[in-house]
């Protein structure tokens, strides 16, 4: 149970930082060449990323308790932020499925 919560927290944190990274104009241009996003789209995408990152906190608390869970959340968010930064630097194609998913979800509501 605890391992599943931690895995879910790690995936949610990676998703959140991926959303934040793809909301930046230069990263957005790397993945989406066919259209220019609306400003509202970018703001909602960034807000969704921040919410996803903060939703990992209660998962870490539930999995490991208040003492170690809060410390684990700090380490987890740092590690996943670094992972997204390294993916954007060395393997940007690893974020293409996330970019495809974002495009499908957000284009539906903001087109």
């Amino acid at each position: 149970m605890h391992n599943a919560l931690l895995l879910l927290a790690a995936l949610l944190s990676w998703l959140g930082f991926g959303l934040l990274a793809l909301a930046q104009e230069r990263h957005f241009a790397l993945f989406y060449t066919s259209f220019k996003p609306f400003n509202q789209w970018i703001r909602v995408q960034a807000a969704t990323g921040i919410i996803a990152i903060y939703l990992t906190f209660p998962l870490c608390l539930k999995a490991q308790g208040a003492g170690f869970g809060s410390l684990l959340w700090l380490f987890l968010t740092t590690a996943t932020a670094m992972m997204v930064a390294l993916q954007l630097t060395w393997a940007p194609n690893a974020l293409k499925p996330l970019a495809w998913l974002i495009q499908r979800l957000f284009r539906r509501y903001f087109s």
Side-chain angles (χ1 to χ4, degrees):
M1 176 72 174
H2 299 301
N3 291 336
L5 286 175
L6 292 178
L7 180 63
L8 179 63
L11 288 174
L12 199 58
S13 182
W14 177 81
L15 176 72
F17 281 111
L19 285 168
L20 283 175
L22 293 177
Q24 294 178 359
E25 188 175 330
R26 68 181 213 183
H27 299 307
F28 201 96
L30 179 68
F31 290 100
Y32 308 110
T33 58
S34 62
F35 68 96
K36 178 108 170 93
F38 301 109
N39 286 335
Q40 185 182 13
W41 175 338
I42 298 287
R43 284 192 294 260
V44 170
Q45 182 176 335
T48 305
I50 291 169
I51 290 168
I53 293 166
Y54 282 116
L55 284 177
T56 61
F57 186 67
L59 292 173
C60 290
L61 291 180
K62 177 82 172 154
Q64 295 294 326
F68 188 68
S70 56
L71 182 65
L72 180 66
W73 180 75
L74 288 173
F75 286 130
L76 182 69
T77 55
T78 304
T80 53
M82 191 63 138
M83 186 171 81
V84 169
L86 292 175
Q87 282 178 331
L88 283 170
T89 303
W90 287 325
N93 289 334
L95 290 175
K96 276 195 177 184
L98 178 61
W100 180 84
L101 180 67
I102 292 168
Q103 183 179 6
R104 295 293 177 255
L105 289 175
F106 286 103
R107 186 181 259 190
R108 180 180 203 177
Y109 295 109
F110 295 106
S111 57

